[in-house]
Amino acid sequence: MLQTTFIRDNKELTIAGLTKKRFPNAESAVDLILNLDRQRRETQQELDSLLAQSNAKAKEIGGLMKQGKKEEAEAAKAETASLKERSKALDEQLKKFETELQDELVKLPNLPHESVPEGRTAEDNVTVHEQGEKPVLPAGHQPHWELIKKLDIIDFELGNKISGAGFPVYKGKGARLQRAMISFFLDEAAKAGYTEIQPPILVNADSGFGTGQLPDKEGQMYHATADDLYLIPTAEVPITNIYRDVILQESDLPVKNAGHTPCFRREAGSWGAHVRGLNRLHQFDKVEIVQIRKPEESYAALDEMVDHVKSLLEKLELPYRILRLCGGDMGFTSALTFDFEVWSAAQERWLECSSVSNFESYQANRLKLRYKVEGKTQLLHTLNGSALALPRIVAALLENNQQADGSIRIPQALVPYCGFDRIG
């Protein structure tokens, strides 16, 4: 959530940033917030003045009573009662302005970093790095949704029977490959200095608000209405919310946590060939890395996180590219996002497998996540990234590593975790 003081001091910068993010009616939205903020501050000042007058009158009444000036004291009491009534009305008005201001502030997305390119859609994202050779597949190669049937390692029909579309069942070496990748990603995170966290996968509305999923993405989240709990779309939500309403000490920083969870996304309206097989699921596994840093350190931390994801993809021997997202394709809460995509050889297309983002102080302001420095509290910066999401990695591994004999080669880095070097 943006701070009103920042918007007030940087009105044109705020409007320009919202416009880059394709936020509709940016200028009128900012004007409304500034008007509510002005009314709130004026009401607060008037209320403070009345309370000061009321306190002064209370002291005056005591003095008058001691002097035996009963009539004057009674007159002062009547004036005090009038001040209290006016104060009560002003207090109600103040709460109204504060509520309206908060309601408008939470509608604003985070402002983009200056390096974010202009653009409306994914077509306008900028490729900043590409690495690895695209494999030449043997004759008779197949896309992963055909391979998994042939190898009997992932069963979509069984998942549809149990739950519905988008909930696959992993079997045999398919299940072992999943477990191997999770362990590999967690071990690599530990080597990079991340503390492993196993969080709940159901969160309350306060947690959803803290990281910005609510009220922006409630339509994409599964909601257990009887208990008012939400299935997490990513481990970012519970891991970051560990620090909601927390004041850290400088000695506590940096915070580096990693966790594996299943993730749940309704993906309403998704259809077509581009979401076949593992390309888009309602439930999938992911290892998430989260950092909390001092503001002056957060962009160096973002580079560090990008390098970590690069190292994973290189160890998995997958061709990949990194995109700097344009303003119109960025997430609601992000200030700067790098997307990673792996090459899917049988589909002949790039598949997104990770987003690494700096949220600056946007989430921290919603979370009230601060740290104490030189006796003062200051908002921290939060960052997170997928390291990695499994489904599209599995899709690329299966397709890219098809052999002439119909088997699938397992990348060397995963062999010790899998206990096998081939499927089929």
Side-chain angles (χ1 to χ4, degrees), residues 65-111:
M65 292 296 286
K66 286 180 181 178
Q67 297 171 37
K69 298 178 179 179
K70 189 174 180 181
E71 288 186 11
E72 292 180 39
E74 289 300 324
K77 283 181 182 180
E79 193 173 344
T80 300
S82 175
L83 288 170
K84 284 182 179 179
E85 283 297 315
R86 289 164 59 194
S87 296
K88 183 180 177 182
L90 278 175
D91 187 57
E92 290 175 359
Q93 192 174 29
L94 178 62
K95 288 175 181 175
K96 175 177 173 288
F97 286 138
E98 287 174 340
T99 299
E100 290 177 359
L101 177 60
Q102 181 77 359
D103 288 346
E104 294 303 321
L105 281 171
V106 299
K107 295 177 185 176
L108 296 186
N110 199 1
L111 300 182

